[in-house]
Amino acid sequence: MFLLVGILSSDPNALAANDITVISFGRADQAALTQAYYGSFRKSTGIDVKSASYDGQTTELEQMVKTRKTVWDVMQVESRTLQLGCQAGLFEKLDHSKIGDKNDFIPGAISDCGVGIFAWSMALAFDADKVKGAPSSWADFWDIKKYPGKRGLRRSAKYTLEIALLSDGVPAGEVYKLLATARGADRAFRRLDQIKSDTLWWEAAAQPAAFLAAGNLVMTSAYTLWIDREQQRKKHFRIAWDGSLYDVDSWAIPKGTPKASDAYRFIAFASSPEYQKVLSENIAYGPSNRKALPLLDAELAGTMPSAEANLKRALKVDIAFWIRHGEALEKRFDGWAPAICRQQIEEHDDDYEDQASCQDAQGNLRTRKEAEPGKHGEPHKH
């Protein structure tokens, strides 16, 4: 649901006000963007920023564009939304000369309708206290003998199939070309078969760190944002960047905003190295502008997804590939992977309604118990 209190006014005086409306994702992202950009932009330009959050859906924007009553000026969007929205005419085609030098940005940060805000990453995270030696690649992730213990992988075809092929020696530049073929998809699933019984599947971004902390697994794929600096220092969690997957969130200008000129000013401001530095100091996203990295503390810069050394070993997520092939691959994956237990109330509860078989939070497969005599059809009381 959109959280847009007080900004969807049709009052012409509101549109004439010296401000812009910036829509972003909520919670941590919105707080970090506010800290890095909004106040400084107001001080620098005299233009106030009205900030609101949304859930990533474009229903409201589609209605605005259709009725030619666009009241949003800048939006944070994920890559899929950006590409589909650009094709559908929901965003302005950008004049990048008004924003900065394209060569200053990391690969994948510049597109027809978008400018990268930051890079995020999925990489191999492990508990250094529980793993002898230091796994450094997805090939190590598959080596059960050398690194025994439960592994964690995201329960989705996206990201997990790329990781499977990378672990099998496929060069990053050939992953999507191979995965687009039946032979490549079969190879990825065969590779996953090898560690299926040793894998704990996760769905929410916070789960990998929680599972590591609970001792449910020893290594996992994880959004690096969620393996924070405090955990790395106190819990000895580590990140191996070889073969990490990365993507960017972008700024886009909604089609038809009457404040496009000020929107350009804001994006140019937010794309400058000195303010991207502030963003990365507040949240563990990598700057999209390469020139921001030397401004950061050297140790901190090395933990960024867009650090030069990390980016050299990374695979850029191909959103166009997933738009074309995602539905079929996700359907196949969903039929292959075990279901996640939905109704576990207590750690040792093994009674799950409506699921013949599922995996619990410890990675164990649970099978539904047969109903006791005389209790068939009786509802459970939790």
Side-chain angles (χ1 to χ4, degrees), residues 7-15 69 71:
I7 66 169
L8 297 182
S9 171
S10 59
D11 181 357
N13 291 325
L15 291 176
K69 294 180 180 178
V71 295

Side-chain angles (χ1 to χ4, degrees), residues 77-80 82-83 96 102-120 246-251 286-290 306 311 314-320:
V77 292
E78 294 180 335
S79 293
R80 179 184 175 88
L82 179 64
Q83 184 161 329
H96 287 279
K102 291 182 180 181
N103 295 322
D104 289 344
F105 292 83
I106 63 173
I110 299 296
S111 63
D112 288 346
C113 294
V115 176
I117 307 171
F118 55 72
W120 58 263
Y246 84 95
D247 201 0
V248 297
D249 278 17
S250 298
W251 296 122
S288 62
N289 189 323
R290 303 174 195 268
S306 55
L311 211 58
L315 171 64
K316 171 70 171 63
V317 177
D318 188 338
I319 295 302

Side-chain angles (χ1 to χ4, degrees), residues 16-297:
N18 195 28
D19 58 46
I20 59 171
T21 297
V22 177
I23 308 299
S24 66
F25 303 131
R27 299 182 183 179
D29 279 20
Q30 188 177 26
L33 294 171
T34 299
Q35 183 71 23
Y37 302 132
Y38 301 162
S40 298
F41 181 70
R42 180 175 61 250
K43 290 180 182 178
S44 178
T45 65
I47 300 170
D48 196 14
V49 174
K50 290 185 176 180
S51 171
S53 64
Y54 81 127
D55 61 2
Q57 302 300 313
T58 59
T59 307
E60 294 280 347
L61 176 61
E62 291 167 14
Q63 185 63 21
M64 290 181 199
V65 173
K66 182 179 180 180
T67 59
R68 299 185 180 181
K69 294 180 180 178
T70 302
V71 295
W72 299 348
D73 305 307
V74 180
M75 290 179 68
Q76 175 189 4
V77 292
E78 294 180 335
S79 293
R80 179 184 175 88
T81 302
L82 179 64
Q83 184 161 329
L84 293 177
C86 192
Q87 293 171 359
L90 298 181
F91 304 121
E92 298 284 351
K93 295 289 182 69
L94 297 181
D95 177 355
H96 287 279
S97 67
K98 296 180 179 180
I99 296 167
D101 187 341
K102 291 182 180 181
N103 295 322
D104 289 344
F105 292 83
I106 63 173
I110 299 296
S111 63
D112 288 346
C113 294
V115 176
I117 307 171
F118 55 72
W120 58 263
S121 182
M122 180 176 288
L124 194 168
F126 62 96
D127 186 338
D129 284 342
K130 295 181 179 178
V131 178
K132 293 182 179 180
S136 61
S137 68
W138 295 117
D140 289 338
F141 190 91
W142 256 254
D143 193 338
I144 303 294
K145 291 183 179 180
K146 186 175 181 180
Y147 303 104
K150 284 284 185 182
R151 277 84 168 118
L153 285 171
R154 187 175 186 259
R155 194 187 181 280
S156 68
K158 189 178 181 182
Y159 312 137
T160 301
L161 294 184
E162 290 101 318
I163 287 170
L165 291 181
L166 288 168
S167 78
D168 206 25
V170 177
E174 298 177 16
V175 165
Y176 288 109
K177 182 179 179 180
L178 180 60
L179 196 55
T181 68
R183 178 173 59 87
D186 289 346
R187 180 173 172 179
F189 279 98
R190 284 197 304 271
R191 185 67 168 163
L192 288 170
D193 280 333
Q194 296 173 12
I195 60 168
K196 188 174 184 178
S197 62
D198 297 286
T199 299
L200 171 60
W201 301 98
W202 59 267
E203 295 178 302
Q207 286 180 310
F211 288 158
L212 280 175
N216 293 357
L217 43 75
V218 298
M219 64 179 77
T220 180
S221 63
Y223 294 106
T224 58
L225 173 68
W226 290 83
I227 308 296
D228 63 34
R229 297 152 193 160
E230 188 76 6
Q231 290 172 322
Q232 292 180 51
R233 183 169 63 253
K234 290 187 175 180
K235 295 184 178 295
H236 302 108
F237 293 174
R238 299 290 181 266
I239 294 173
W241 290 97
D242 189 19
S244 66
L245 312 179
Y246 84 95
D247 201 0
V248 297
D249 278 17
S250 298
W251 296 122
I253 299 177
K255 188 74 172 180
T257 170
K259 299 183 179 181
S261 178
D262 287 342
Y264 270 108
R265 291 183 71 185
F266 173 80
I267 294 175
F269 181 91
S271 298
S272 60
E274 57 267 37
Y275 294 107
Q276 287 208 351
K277 165 184 175 289
V278 177
L279 181 69
S280 291
E281 288 173 338
N282 280 275
I283 193 168
Y285 289 135
S288 62
N289 189 323
R290 303 174 195 268
K291 292 183 176 179
L293 287 162
L295 303 180
L296 289 165
D297 171 80

Side-chain angles (χ1 to χ4, degrees), residues 338-359:
I340 302 297
C341 296
R342 301 295 182 190
Q343 302 200 25
Q344 187 176 7
I345 304 302
E346 298 177 357
E347 183 177 346
H348 301 295
D349 183 5
D350 61 357
D351 194 3
Y352 306 97
E353 279 190 282
D354 301 324
Q355 289 180 285
S357 177
C358 61
Q359 187 186 70

